[in-house]
């Protein structure tokens, strides 16, 4: 295990370091300026999209806007805004929150551009089973811009798909399943393998149902998850209201 940890640390030092953080943040600055600070404009447009103001049953796609948003949020509520934030504060101190604010603001523009490009270059030959994402953007956009770069787009698409599979299996499934197993064991005395088996069956049943079942399940569960998160977060803030100024001072 020691050799494995050393190997993973070496790989991680290449794949994820300060240089990549600066590149990602710089990309966010570029997209923010390029889009005319869409983070501000999306505050009014986004809720209308989620409420279904622009929904058209004749448009291509298997799920509606709200279900798509719920499916996207399902992987971030908990792992991202609870587990990830707690880990960042534990490792970097209160000041880590400031940089999460900055990166979160810039990340809005990156996500907007990414999703927009994914919509433009997605494959809707089968309306009930659409295909899209950065891999399709890389494979199609470069070939459309310069046909001689088609091979590069295909290579990037395969590379992205491979890394996403690795990420979803480790940082996604394994880390989240471990979190659930740890909590159920600590507070309810349920063995980890039992909660893992239950998760496998439930998640497998959802995934095998295709994008429509994923959208339906996410559209039902995620709003409740978000509501519980907001209520719990608000309770913590009100319960420690007098310490908020000092907390902001520590963050800054």
């Amino acid at each position: 295990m020691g050799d494995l940890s050393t190997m993973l640390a070496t790989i991680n030092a290449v794949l994820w370091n300060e240089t990549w953080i600066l590149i990602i943040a710089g990309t966010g600055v570029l997209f923010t300026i390029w889009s005319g600070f869409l983070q501000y404009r999306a505050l009014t447009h986004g809720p209308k999209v989620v409420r279904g103001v622009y929904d058209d049953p004749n448009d291509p796609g298997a799920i509606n806007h709200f279900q798509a948003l719920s499916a996207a949020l399902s992987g971030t509520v908990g792992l991202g805004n609870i587990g990830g934030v707690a880990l960042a504060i534990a490792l970097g101190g209160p000041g880590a929150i400031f940089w999460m604010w900055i990166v979160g603001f810039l990340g809005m523009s990156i996500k907007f551009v990414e999703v927009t490009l994914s919509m433009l270059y997605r494959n809707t030959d089968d309306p009930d089973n659409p295909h899209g994402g950065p891999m399709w953007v890389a494979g199609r956009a470069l070939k459309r811009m310069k046909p001689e770069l088609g091979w590069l787009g295909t290579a990037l698409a395969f590379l992205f798909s491979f890394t996403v599979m690795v990420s979803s299996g480790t940082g996604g499934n394994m880390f989240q399943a471990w979190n659930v197993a740890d909590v159920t064991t600590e507070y309810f005395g349920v063995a980890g393998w039992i909660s893992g088996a239950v998760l496998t069956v439930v998640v497998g049943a959802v995934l095998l149902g295709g994008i429509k079942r994923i959208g339906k399940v996410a559209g039902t569960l995620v709003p409740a998850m978000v509501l519980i998160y907001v209520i719990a977060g608000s309770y913590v803030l009100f319960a420690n209201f007098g310490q908020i100024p000092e907390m902001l001072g520590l963050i800054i």
Side-chain angles (χ1 to χ4, degrees):
M1 287 302 296
D3 294 338
L4 177 62
S5 298
T6 302
M7 181 183 69
L8 292 177
T10 303
I11 296 175
N12 186 65
V14 177
L15 297 179
W16 187 244
N17 51 55
E18 291 83 353
T19 302
W20 291 113
I21 296 175
L22 292 175
I23 291 175
I24 293 173
T27 303
V29 172
L30 174 64
F31 286 165
T32 296
I33 297 174
W34 181 31
S35 63
F37 286 85
L38 68 91
Q39 294 94 326
Y40 168 76
R41 294 187 287 109
L43 288 177
T44 56
H45 179 70
K48 292 181 181 179
V49 174
V50 176
R51 292 204 314 269
V53 174
Y54 304 104
D55 282 359
D56 185 347
N58 296 320
D59 285 341
I63 58 179
N64 59 38
H65 294 102
F66 180 76
Q67 291 175 334
L69 173 66
S70 298
L73 286 177
S74 63
T76 58
V77 178
L79 178 63
N81 63 346
I82 300 177
V85 172
L87 180 61
I89 295 173
L91 295 177
I97 297 178
F98 174 80
W99 295 109
M100 283 188 277
W101 289 342
I102 300 298
V103 173
F105 177 79
L106 298 176
M108 292 180 189
S109 62
I110 297 177
K111 176 59 70 174
F112 177 86
V113 173
E114 176 190 344
V115 172
T116 300
L117 289 173
S118 297
M119 293 293 292
L120 292 174
Y121 289 96
R122 64 179 177 163
N123 185 331
T124 56
D125 293 341
D126 181 2
D128 291 331
N129 190 29
H131 297 79
M135 68 289 286
W136 285 83
V137 177
R140 290 185 166 190
L142 285 176
K143 186 175 182 180
R144 184 177 300 181
M145 292 169 59
K146 289 187 177 182
E148 61 270 19
L149 292 180
W151 67 271
L152 178 60
T154 301
L156 290 174
F158 274 100
L159 177 62
F160 179 84
S161 300
F162 174 75
T163 55
V164 165
M165 286 191 295
V166 174
S167 176
S168 62
T170 55
N173 294 346
M174 290 173 63
F175 184 70
Q176 293 192 45
W178 173 80
N179 268 338
V180 172
D182 190 51
V183 171
T184 53
T185 301
E186 179 73 21
Y187 292 97
F188 303 103
V190 178
W193 70 268
I194 296 178
S195 58
V198 172
L199 282 175
T200 301
V201 173
V202 174
V203 173
V206 174
L207 294 179
L208 292 176
I211 186 63
K212 288 188 175 181
R213 185 179 297 175
I214 294 173
K216 184 177 295 185
V217 173
T220 302
L221 294 180
V222 172
M225 293 164 56
V226 173
L227 181 62
I228 293 173
Y229 170 73
V230 172
I231 293 176
S234 299
Y235 170 77
V236 172
L237 288 175
F238 283 113
N240 302 276
F241 188 79
Q243 300 181 42
I244 291 180
E246 181 183 357
M247 176 195 67
L248 292 176
L250 288 173
I251 292 173
I252 301 299

